[in-house]
Structures are given as structure tokens and as C-alpha cells.
Amino acid sequence: MIKKIIFLFLTWRIFLFLPLILANSFLTNRSGYGYTLLTYFLSSENKLLSHFLLYPFGNFDAAYYLIIAAEGYTVNGGFFPLFPLSIHLATSPFKNIPPFDPIQYFVATSLVIIYFLIALNFFYRLLRLDYKENVAIGSIIFLLIFPTSFFFASIYSEGLFLLLSILSFYFARKRKWFLASLFAGLMSATRLVGIAMFPALLYEYFKSEKNKSLGRLLTIFLTPLGLIVYAFYNFQKWGNPFYFIEAQGNFANNRSVDAIVLFPQTLFRYIKILLTVRPTIYEWWVALLEFSVFIFVSIMIYIAWKKQVRLSYLIFSVAAFLIPISTGTFSGLPRYILPIFPIFIALSLVKNALFKIVYIVTSIILLALLFALFSKGYFVA
């Protein structure tokens, strides 16, 4: 089965070069947004990474991950540490590699590939605990063709976060609670949303563990350990244990960092934007994408519940969904929902063939379009 997974991965990865070729032929870089491209940070001598088939995988946040990996934290506290730390450790044998060095780039992209491939393998193994092979393979395909799946190939933490969430659930299903909690703890050192695993593991423990003990239960409380350690680092460096939240407000994305905003308020705001802003403005289309993803994921979580997807998975999904949509904006949501794997299980369980065909065609078209735009400095998620 690993051969089939590798085949699907390679097909997807090769496909991602198509939108880059099309973008290079028909699109120009977004005017005034050169700083969103990896080429903005490259020296004139670094012609290799300036190639249009390479630099897009290092655009936007990826550049900051590379800076943190090479130089540590400066003013980039909004980015959690585990992913850039893994790049730093992997490049450490090369001695004093500066950010945006070709060696650092290729090490980082290699790590991304490894994380995602292992995630797909364990995703299949996790699904086979409950479903037949066609559902497992279908879920992987639906994940690969999701319109923002190119972030799994970019120098972003999405692949690592997906891997850790899958491993945490896999070992929880095997009742290996220390390993499950360890990977959950690493999740909370990768993204704030990692804390969504805590209630999911607690539920899974009380549902499936026959030989309950205080020791096993207490291991689950390792889940927020990564977040706690990073908060302590924030306090030591910036004098504020929650500086990573404050730093999110510096990204000019309208995200609330000092209060929880109930998502119905945000939903009303987006409806107002779509009805009052002209579609000739690029940001209108981004708002439409974010709004559409919110509706789509809400429906798919409901379908997952109706299809009796394991409740611990759904607890994680709801918590991981509520955290980003409770910040007053859906900005970035098309990317943030990628690790919410139950939505792809739900897609695979839907029996309506027409629905699946529409999803496949629409997703592939959007995947090509969004990655082409992303490669030229247009924000999509």
C-alpha cells in the first residue's frame, strides 16, 4: 500500500509544477507586494532559488520560518518554534548556514516532503482501523486535491502539524497514551491550535481505555506542554508569556488578539463585505474564498457527525475549527483547516457520485488557480 501512497503523492507533487508554469507565462508579480516573495530576500548571486519552479514554495510565511531557523527569534514571535527548530537542527551539520541559503532551502523542502509522506502513511493506517481501503484511499485523494493543499509542499508547518495530529490519534487508538500525549505536546509547540487535541485525547481515553489509572490519565496533561514551554520563552524574551498572541496582531490581518469574537459576528461581517464591496477588488474574492471554506467545513463536520466518524476526531475538529474563527476574521482559514482530517473522511463517506465529481473538478481547478496566484505574491490563505 505504501507504493500507492507514494504514487498519489508524486502525482500531486508533479501536478503542482503546472500552475507555476502557467503563472510564469500569464501572470506578473502582484504590484507592491514584492516582500511576499522569497525572491525579495535573495541576494543577486542566488540565482538558483530565483527559479520560478523553486521560489514559490518559500513565499509569504515560509521566508520567516527560514529566518527563525537560521537566526532565532527577533520580532517573529507569532510563529511557533517546532517547525523552524526542526529546520535548524537538520541544517546544523552544515555550520552557520544563513537564511535563504540553497542548502537551507533544500533541507527545509526535504523535511516538508518527509513530514507529509509519513503523515499520509499513518493517515492510511489510522483510517484502516475503522474503514475499508476505498475509504482510506479516497480520504487521501480528497486531501491531496484540496484547493490549498500546496501548503503541504511549501515551507510551512502544515505538514508537520498534520503528521503530529495523526500520530497522536494513531497511538491513542493503540492505547499507547504516553506516545499519544507526547505527539500532542509537540502539536502545541507547532501551532496554538494544537491544544485542540487535549479534549479529544481525554475523551478517547475515557472511552477506550479499559485499564484506567491515574498515571495514564496524567500523561494526557502533557498535551499543552509545548505551548507552556513556548509561553515561558516568550516571557523570558519579551516579558509577556502571551506575546505570541500579541504578535499575531502585527500581521495586519484584522485578527482580534485581545478578545474572543463569536463567529456569528464574523459571519455577518463577511456577508456585509460580499454585499457592499465591489468584486473588481481582489480582496473581495479572498473574502469569498474564506467565507465559502467556512460554510464548506461547517457542512463537512456535520456530515462527519452524521456518518458517525469517531467522536474524538470530531471533538478535535470542532475545537481546531473554532479557535481560528473566534478571532474576528476568517483570514487564513482555507489553510488552517487543512489538518482537520475528518472533513476528508466525510468526503470519502459521501455516497452521492455527482457531489464527489463536482468536488474533484472544482478542487483541482482551484488548487491550480490559488497556487498560481500564491506564486506571484497574491495572498490566498
Side-chain angles (χ1 to χ4, degrees):
M1 185 46 59
I2 188 65
K3 292 182 179 179
K4 185 176 290 188
I5 293 173
I6 292 175
F7 172 77
L8 290 172
F9 171 83
L10 290 176
T11 302
W12 165 78
R13 190 61 180 77
I14 293 171
F15 169 82
L16 290 181
F17 288 121
L18 176 61
L20 298 184
I21 294 171
L22 294 175
N24 189 60
S25 300
F26 300 106
L27 287 177
T28 57
N29 293 343
R30 190 178 188 189
S31 178
Y33 288 81
Y35 60 89
T36 65
L37 304 176
L38 182 64
T39 50
Y40 177 83
F41 300 90
L42 301 179
S43 64
S44 57
E45 295 81 19
N46 197 342
K47 296 181 180 179
L48 176 61
L49 297 188
S50 298
H51 195 280
F52 73 91
L53 292 179
L54 294 179
Y55 78 79
F57 296 100
N59 283 354
F60 286 87
D61 290 359
Y64 294 97
Y65 279 124
L66 294 176
I67 292 173
I68 295 169
E71 300 177 347
Y73 283 97
T74 53
V75 293
N76 307 310
F79 298 94
F80 272 50
L82 187 60
F83 179 60
L85 177 61
S86 69
I87 298 173
H88 175 77
L89 293 176
T91 55
S92 59
F94 299 99
K95 304 293 183 183
N96 300 320
I97 294 293
F100 317 118
D101 183 274
I103 292 176
Q104 188 204 40
Y105 173 91
F106 287 113
V107 167
T109 51
S110 297
L111 282 177
V112 165
I113 289 172
I114 292 169
Y115 292 148
F116 192 43
L117 262 177
I118 298 174
L120 292 178
N121 179 44
F122 274 91
F123 188 27
Y124 174 83
R125 294 168 67 176
L126 179 67
L127 290 170
R128 292 293 281 133
L129 297 177
D130 301 303
Y131 303 106
K132 295 180 180 179
E133 182 176 329
N134 66 313
V135 174
I137 293 298
S139 300
I140 289 174
I141 292 173
F142 289 132
L143 171 63
L144 288 172
I145 65 173
F146 190 76
T148 55
S149 67
F150 61 86
F151 283 106
F152 287 128
S154 303
I155 304 174
Y156 274 68
S157 63
E158 264 58 37
L160 175 59
F161 190 79
L162 176 67
L163 169 61
L164 294 172
S165 63
I166 296 293
L167 287 175
S168 184
F169 274 121
Y170 180 79
F171 287 110
R173 295 294 305 276
K174 296 293 183 179
R175 296 197 291 276
K176 295 181 179 179
W177 299 108
F178 176 76
L179 287 175
S181 302
L182 175 63
F183 287 118
L186 293 173
M187 285 175 65
S188 69
T190 307
R191 285 174 55 187
L192 175 62
V193 178
I195 59 176
M197 186 59 75
F198 182 62
L201 284 185
L202 277 179
Y203 175 84
E204 186 65 40
Y205 174 81
F206 284 110
K207 175 180 174 58
S208 63
E209 180 55 60
K210 298 177 181 179
N211 301 313
K212 296 179 176 64
S213 71
L214 181 60
R216 293 191 183 95
L217 177 60
L218 288 177
T219 60
I220 297 175
F221 285 82
L222 291 172
T223 302
L225 183 60
L227 174 61
I228 293 171
V229 171
Y230 188 49
F232 179 75
Y233 175 83
N234 275 236
F235 178 74
Q236 292 292 314
K237 187 171 182 64
W238 291 292
N240 178 3
F242 302 108
Y243 176 76
F244 59 87
I245 297 178
E246 178 185 325
Q248 287 290 326
N250 298 328
F251 295 150
N253 54 15
N254 298 314
R255 193 173 306 284
S256 173
V257 296
D258 54 7
I260 294 175
V261 180
L262 298 179
F263 73 83
Q265 296 174 259
T266 308
L267 197 59
F268 175 79
R269 174 172 168 260
Y270 269 76
I271 293 173
K272 184 178 180 180
I273 290 172
L274 294 175
L275 292 178
T276 59
V277 177
R278 294 181 180 180
T280 52
I281 299 174
Y282 175 72
E283 283 70 21
W284 185 91
W285 293 96
V286 175
L288 177 62
L289 173 66
E290 293 166 352
F291 177 80
S292 300
V293 168
F294 169 82
I295 298 299
F296 172 76
V297 175
S298 299
I299 293 171
M300 295 317 302
I301 290 177
Y302 173 75
I303 292 175
W305 174 69
K306 292 291 288 184
K307 294 291 184 179
Q308 298 183 326
V309 171
R310 197 169 186 88
L311 191 53
S312 59
Y313 301 170
L314 294 179
I315 291 171
F316 167 73
S317 300
V318 172
F321 188 44
L322 285 175
I323 291 172
I325 67 173
S326 299
T327 59
T329 179
F330 297 154
S331 179
L333 192 62
R335 171 168 63 91
Y336 295 151
I337 60 90
L338 282 172
I340 305 180
F341 62 88
I343 66 178
F344 304 106
I345 301 176
L347 280 165
S348 190
L349 292 173
V350 170
K351 298 186 182 299
N352 189 305
L354 178 60
F355 176 84
K356 289 183 175 180
I357 292 171
V358 170
Y359 172 83
I360 291 170
V361 173
T362 304
S363 288
I364 292 175
I365 293 172
L366 283 176
L367 173 57
L369 175 62
L370 294 181
F371 193 31
L373 291 169
F374 179 85
S375 73
K376 293 298 182 179
Y378 289 83
F379 176 82
V380 296

